[in-house]
Amino acid sequence: MPLALTGVISFYDTPNLAGAQIAVAQINKKGGVLKRPLKIISADTKSDLGLIAGVANSLLDKGADLMIPTLDYDFGGPSARAANAKKIPAISEAGDSRFGLQGIGKYLFNQFPSGSEAAIGATWAWSKGWRHPYVLGDPSISYSKTFTENFKYSWGKLGQVAGEDTFMNSDQSIASQITKMKALVDANKVDFIFMGSYAPGGASATKQIRAAGINLPIIGGAGFDGTFWLGAVPNLKNFYVVAGGVTTGGDPNKLRAGVYAAYKAKFKKDAPLGEQTLNGYSAVYAFARAIERAKSTNGAKVVAELEKFKNEPLPIGNITWTSKCHISKLRSLPIITFVGTKEKFVAEVSPKPGILPKTLC
């Protein structure tokens, strides 16, 4: 696991590693895989794009059979390419559809429903009767840029965007963007805000929007999953996330709830992020099942078994991969909101037919 354990992406990779550790411990307690224990070897990429490939290759040179890289095309892609070059199967997730067979290679599998996340947000907003979104995008990394573009595509199949603007995650102030947004809000031309960003910059932007007196519903994605960022926006209300589940208790999905309970038992606190914790956990179990069915850790044989997954039940969702597509595109995602410092389940949503963005497979 070549992961960003420090730096800007560490918020997301730390629970990714924790989820994998929990799964490995559970599997090893039951005798391992093919009567062999699993072992995680990891190293810190420091969220430095220039270091990632070297860190990944150093772990592969130690004899790794499998890889779980960072959850992002920009920050996980270099590791996935290194694994693919050495025919080592890799599983993680990213919103960018290049993170898969067509964009990286045969040995990479993406657990995230690339394209569907934004379509699910659009589907749910439409079901609420909201019709006039203001789109605030953040092109600082591939995930947030893709998420924003996909939402605009999906919403374009339903209606029209009322207005849009962009900011960078590192921006300290979005005053000019808020001025533009508020003019439309005050004219009653906007009924919700789409936030195509991630913490910490997205949290800062949200705080500034609320401070400006704009209290419309805001919809975000996996970049706002979990509760780790809520301290930056005290008493946040009317914010909804297309997320990985309810990490603070009460998730109606038993598989997800079981992972979050195991996290709390091990670390004596709630999981800081849902989707990311589920990614590491589910990737380990996906590998374990593929190895058991292949009766081998040979890369090509493991890949062949992963390509047979059809609605494979994992805590992250029901995963389908084929020989032509290594992205699980059509799984549902939960919508959650926040009550104080706790998460609250709102709905489990699948994308409305006909609004899925075009992806590489």
Side-chain angles (χ1 to χ4, degrees), residues 227-305:
T227 59
F228 74 100
W229 61 278
L230 292 179
V233 196
N235 303 310
L236 179 64
K237 294 181 175 64
N238 216 13
F239 194 107
Y240 302 91
V241 181
V242 185
V246 183
T247 64
T248 54
D251 195 310
N253 182 291
K254 291 182 179 180
L255 292 178
R256 289 196 302 252
V259 176
Y260 299 143
Y263 184 102
K264 190 166 188 176
K266 178 176 175 63
F267 296 102
K268 312 305 179 187
K269 60 181 181 181
D270 293 321
L273 296 98
E275 184 76 19
Q276 293 77 1
T277 305
L278 297 178
N279 180 72
Y281 184 98
S282 297
V284 170
Y285 271 94
F287 277 139
R289 292 176 192 176
I291 292 168
E292 290 282 3
R293 293 167 190 173
K295 297 181 173 56
S296 173
T297 57
N298 174 270
K301 293 180 179 179
V302 171
V303 164
E305 292 301 326

Side-chain angles (χ1 to χ4, degrees), residues 2-268:
L3 303 176
L5 302 178
T6 57
V8 66
I9 303 298
S10 62
F11 288 115
Y12 305 104
D13 262 350
T14 303
N16 185 22
L17 175 60
Q21 290 171 332
I22 292 167
V24 164
Q26 291 175 349
I27 290 170
N28 285 347
K29 188 175 181 179
K30 295 179 180 180
V33 181
L34 302 181
K35 298 182 179 180
R36 292 166 56 188
L38 297 175
K39 179 182 178 181
I40 294 173
I41 54 173
S42 63
D44 187 7
T45 66
K46 302 181 180 180
S47 302
D48 185 333
L49 291 172
L51 296 179
I52 297 170
V55 171
N57 277 308
S58 72
L59 293 176
L60 292 170
D61 289 344
K62 293 181 179 179
D65 295 299
L66 313 160
M67 180 185 283
I68 305 174
T70 292
L71 313 91
D72 179 66
Y73 176 76
D74 291 333
F75 289 88
S79 298
R81 289 187 191 93
N84 192 74
K86 296 185 178 181
K87 300 182 179 181
I88 298 297
I91 298 175
S92 193
E93 63 176 24
D96 193 319
S97 68
R98 291 176 293 174
F99 198 77
L101 172 63
Q102 284 77 10
I104 300 289
K106 177 180 178 179
Y107 288 81
L108 175 63
F109 291 79
N110 188 348
Q111 297 188 110
F112 199 68
S114 300
S116 294
E117 179 192 23
I120 286 168
T123 297
W124 183 74
W126 189 264
S127 75
K128 298 292 290 181
W130 303 337
R131 296 294 183 265
H132 309 291
Y134 191 94
V135 175
L136 189 59
D138 170 4
S140 60
I141 63 172
S142 175
Y143 163 72
S144 52
K145 181 180 179 181
T146 303
F147 183 40
T148 302
E149 291 173 348
N150 285 345
F151 177 82
K152 290 195 294 183
Y153 177 91
S154 293
W155 194 263
K157 296 293 185 180
L158 301 170
Q160 293 184 331
V161 169
E164 62 180 296
D165 210 337
T166 62
F167 72 103
M168 297 299 289
N169 205 267
S170 57
D171 288 348
Q172 297 298 306
S173 171
I174 62 163
S176 62
Q177 292 92 331
I178 288 176
T179 297
K180 180 179 174 181
M181 180 192 300
K182 199 170 190 306
L184 291 173
V185 171
D186 291 345
N188 295 316
K189 294 182 178 180
V190 176
D191 54 10
F192 76 100
I193 298 164
F194 171 83
M195 179 71 74
S197 185
Y198 58 99
S204 173
T206 299
K207 182 177 182 180
Q208 293 174 63
I209 289 169
R210 291 300 191 235
I214 301 173
N215 295 309
L216 291 174
I218 300 176
I219 296 178
F224 296 97
D225 190 12
T227 59
F228 74 100
W229 61 278
L230 292 179
V233 196
N235 303 310
L236 179 64
K237 294 181 175 64
N238 216 13
F239 194 107
Y240 302 91
V241 181
V242 185
V246 183
T247 64
T248 54
D251 195 310
N253 182 291
K254 291 182 179 180
L255 292 178
R256 289 196 302 252
V259 176
Y260 299 143
Y263 184 102
K264 190 166 188 176
K266 178 176 175 63
F267 296 102
K268 312 305 179 187

Side-chain angles (χ1 to χ4, degrees), residues 314-337:
L314 291 165
I316 203 165
N318 291 340
I319 298 295
T320 296
W321 291 316
T322 70
S323 61
K324 295 182 179 180
C325 189
H326 290 185
I327 300 171
S328 188
K329 296 193 299 181
L330 298 178
R331 70 179 177 88
S332 65
L333 286 170
I335 307 290
I336 63 102
T337 190

